[in-house]
Amino acid sequence: MPIKPFATPTPSYERLSPQDASFLAYERNGLHMHVGVVAIFEGASFRTSTGLLDFEKLERYILARFTSWTRSRQKLARTPIAHRPVWIDDRRFRPEGHIRRVTLEAGGGEVALKRLAGEVFSRALDRSKPLWEAVLVDGFDDGTFAIVFKTHHAMIDGLAGMDFISALLTTDPTPAFDGAPLHSAAPPPWRLRLLFDDALHYASAPLKLLDGLRILATDSEARKDFRDRAYALVHLVFNGVLGTSPNPLSAHPVQRRTVDWAAADASGERAIRARLGGTRDDVTLAASTGAARGFLRRRGVKLPKLRIRAMVPVNLRTRAERGGLGNRVSTLIVGLPVAETEARAQLERISETVAHLKQVKQGLGGDVLAQIDQWTGTMAQSFGMWLAKTRRAYNLCVTTIPGSPTPLYALESKLVALYPLAPVFHKQLFNVAALTYAGKLHWGVHYAGEDEDAAAEFIADLSASFAELVEAAASAL
């Protein structure tokens, strides 16, 4: 699927949407707002005659596919009055400066790759350059190679990221590729133009407000939509202010990050949904509930009456918007029944909760906050950060990403595994991401605490909880 810009770009710069800009505002005090994947490939197309990974060929392939994406060659700048972030072409862009080569020590294997991925995710991206990085990894006994890729959340969300991966690769094996196309950077915008656009943005606000009031006065459907959005916003804010119980899941993230991952057959997930009910999000939340329960129990936490919540991104993209860049998501805040002892009961409770939240359209609340920021700068962003930090609005983030149902290829090297990694937020130690790809369900856990074993224990508990759901689904025949 070809990648296309979400908003129509100007000749010299493009504004970030309020939601995209919010991820820049969140990035402070050691929080890193990058997303990424660990992609593992068969090595056939990129091995030399001596069996070593041909780093140069792999780098040329990545640059040929990746630098055709305009955003890969752009960096951040700010407008002079409102200091709103914009994308401008980086006239000093050196693509090779964003790619690193690593050969793991003999015998290190997947354990060493996880350690490397944790190191990559421990470092913030340099905002003076285009916001992406790729680490090419060799040194596996089975002949595979890996790419650890990260980009800033301001550039892309989970679904757009999967569309982007699909555009970098091909659906069929191909023996050759064209070289990287030549690109000429657009000159930076004139300061006078940025001043004028900032002034026009604020001057047009009253007129747009009056036009909105006129529509509300004359259009009954618009009034209904306004009521729905207002109620959703109140519901979201109330749940955020209510907060969660003090617990070990809520702590300030540390600089050093740990990641872990696991995979399972996606047919198990389909069986769970068919026989026990629920959506893909519900299944991921239920498995994450089992993992959170295990984490809390190992730390001696009493689970009855404990209020634990997950923040769940909700896709807002229409079919026509697939392939677009930037972020098009809203948010649900979902209670996790960690006191329940059985995975099936956890899934049932979660399905009921999510169905209620969708009925009251809580997901619209996050969209309203993003729209408010179009006129208030960072007011809604700051409020959201305050809720997350002081009220412990949620304790972990759980996201589910639909991927390609068929294999993808880099030349003739098949992509065999794709583990997603997403950021942690204020007062949060875990982010759980699930991605379906080619008949497999891939989980990635990003941990920002001090316990070196926590990520491995969490992913083991998550896998065990999922296996319990699969067994329950089989028993429901």
Side-chain angles (χ1 to χ4, degrees):
M1 180 180 295
I3 289 181
K4 55 184 181 292
F6 219 46
T8 304
T10 65
S12 56
Y13 81 97
E14 181 182 351
R15 288 183 184 273
L16 277 73
S17 73
Q19 190 168 57
D20 293 346
S22 70
F23 291 104
L24 299 176
Y26 280 130
E27 196 169 50
R28 59 181 69 177
N29 300 326
L31 292 179
H32 306 322
M33 290 292 110
H34 41 251
V35 297
V37 293
V38 178
I40 301 175
F41 294 85
E42 295 175 347
S45 295
F46 297 96
R47 290 288 169 194
T48 66
S49 58
T50 60
L52 298 176
L53 182 64
D54 190 339
F55 281 111
E56 290 187 5
K57 181 179 180 181
L58 179 56
E59 186 171 322
R60 290 197 309 271
Y61 174 82
I62 291 172
L63 295 181
R65 306 285 296 189
F66 185 53
T67 55
S68 61
W69 181 38
T70 303
R71 194 71 80 238
S72 73
R73 310 186 305 276
Q74 292 180 320
K75 65 179 182 178
L76 291 168
R78 296 276 179 175
T79 61
I81 298 177
H83 301 289
R84 293 176 180 271
V86 297
W87 297 113
I88 64 171
D89 284 4
D90 183 1
R91 307 193 76 181
R92 298 181 178 179
F93 175 57
R94 292 176 56 255
E96 62 274 11
H98 294 258
I99 297 180
R100 189 157 59 97
R101 304 173 181 180
V102 173
T103 299
L104 302 176
E105 293 184 4
E110 191 175 52
V111 173
L113 179 60
K114 291 176 180 179
R115 185 164 54 248
L116 173 65
E119 293 170 1
V120 171
F121 263 68
S122 297
R123 298 189 300 269
L125 288 159
D126 184 350
R127 288 198 185 183
S128 68
K129 302 176 181 179
L131 298 177
W132 63 274
E133 176 185 352
V135 183
L136 316 183
V137 189
D138 193 17
F140 301 99
D141 294 337
D142 60 0
T144 59
F145 69 90
I147 302 175
V148 181
F149 183 82
K150 71 176 182 181
T151 185
H152 204 283
H153 213 329
M155 297 169 67
I156 210 163
D157 62 21
L159 192 58
M162 195 58 228
D163 288 341
F164 171 66
I165 291 293
S166 298
L168 281 181
L169 305 175
T170 56
T171 55
D172 297 301
T174 54
F177 64 97
D178 297 326
L182 296 176
H183 300 282
S184 57
W190 292 348
R191 183 173 176 82
L192 184 61
R193 176 177 178 174
L194 291 175
L195 283 166
F196 175 79
D197 286 354
D198 257 356
L200 182 63
H201 175 77
Y202 286 113
S204 63
L207 296 177
K208 291 185 177 181
L209 176 61
L210 289 174
D211 187 53
L213 293 174
R214 178 189 61 78
I215 292 173
L216 285 176
T218 58
D219 190 330
S220 59
E221 287 297 318
R223 288 195 296 273
K224 181 180 182 301
D225 182 64
F226 178 80
R227 287 194 300 269
D228 288 344
R229 288 175 176 272
Y231 182 77
L233 179 60
V234 170
H235 194 277
L236 179 67
V237 171
F238 174 78
N239 276 276
V241 172
L242 184 62
T244 59
S245 305
N247 69 89
L249 286 167
S250 295
H252 188 74
V254 300
Q255 178 68 29
R256 182 178 177 277
R257 304 302 170 85
T258 308
V259 304
D260 213 314
W261 54 72
D265 197 314
S267 62
E269 183 209 50
R270 292 192 295 270
I272 293 167
R273 290 189 284 124
R275 297 166 189 165
L276 303 183
T279 65
R280 277 201 176 104
D281 282 333
D282 296 345
V283 173
T284 305
L285 282 165
S288 300
T289 299
R293 173 182 167 83
F295 178 85
L296 294 168
R297 290 186 67 194
R298 276 190 294 274
R299 284 150 185 81
V301 177
K302 296 180 180 179
L303 301 181
K305 299 183 179 179
L306 192 68
R307 194 165 60 247
I308 300 294
R309 292 201 183 102
M311 188 267 279
V312 183
V314 178
N315 172 50
L316 296 178
R317 291 179 192 272
T318 64
R319 186 177 295 274
E321 292 170 337
R322 287 295 300 267
L325 301 178
N327 290 268
R328 286 284 287 129
V329 295
S330 188
T331 298
L332 294 179
I333 297 179
V334 181
L336 302 184
V338 292
E340 291 283 1
T341 59
E342 296 182 358
R344 181 171 184 172
Q346 293 167 356
L347 176 61
E348 291 171 352
R349 288 273 303 277
I350 285 169
S351 297
E352 292 172 1
T353 299
V354 172
H356 171 70
L357 294 177
K358 290 180 177 179
Q359 184 179 13
V360 300
K361 301 181 180 179
Q362 189 194 79
L364 290 175
D367 194 37
V368 173
L369 289 176
Q371 291 175 351
I372 290 173
D373 271 349
Q374 291 185 16
W375 308 108
T376 63
T378 61
M379 185 181 78
Q381 296 167 19
S382 298
F383 178 67
M385 285 187 287
W386 175 83
L387 279 180
K389 187 174 182 179
T390 63
R391 302 301 303 166
R392 297 184 306 272
Y394 46 85
N395 309 104
L396 70 161
C397 181
V398 179
T399 184
T400 306
I401 307 161
S404 172
T406 57
L408 299 174
Y409 297 84
L411 295 184
E412 294 175 310
S413 292
K414 185 168 77 171
L415 174 64
V416 295
L418 189 63
Y419 299 105
L421 296 169
V424 297
F425 291 81
H426 291 283
K427 291 289 185 179
Q428 179 185 338
L429 297 183
F430 286 98
N431 188 303
V432 182
L435 186 150
T436 52
Y437 164 68
K440 291 288 186 180
L441 179 58
H442 297 85
W443 293 295
V445 170
H446 178 189
Y447 173 67
E450 297 179 347
D451 185 349
E452 294 184 357
D453 298 323
E457 292 170 347
F458 197 95
I459 201 75
D461 287 338
L462 189 148
S463 298
S465 184
F466 179 78
E468 185 182 337
L469 285 171
V470 172
E471 185 177 348
S475 301
L477 282 173

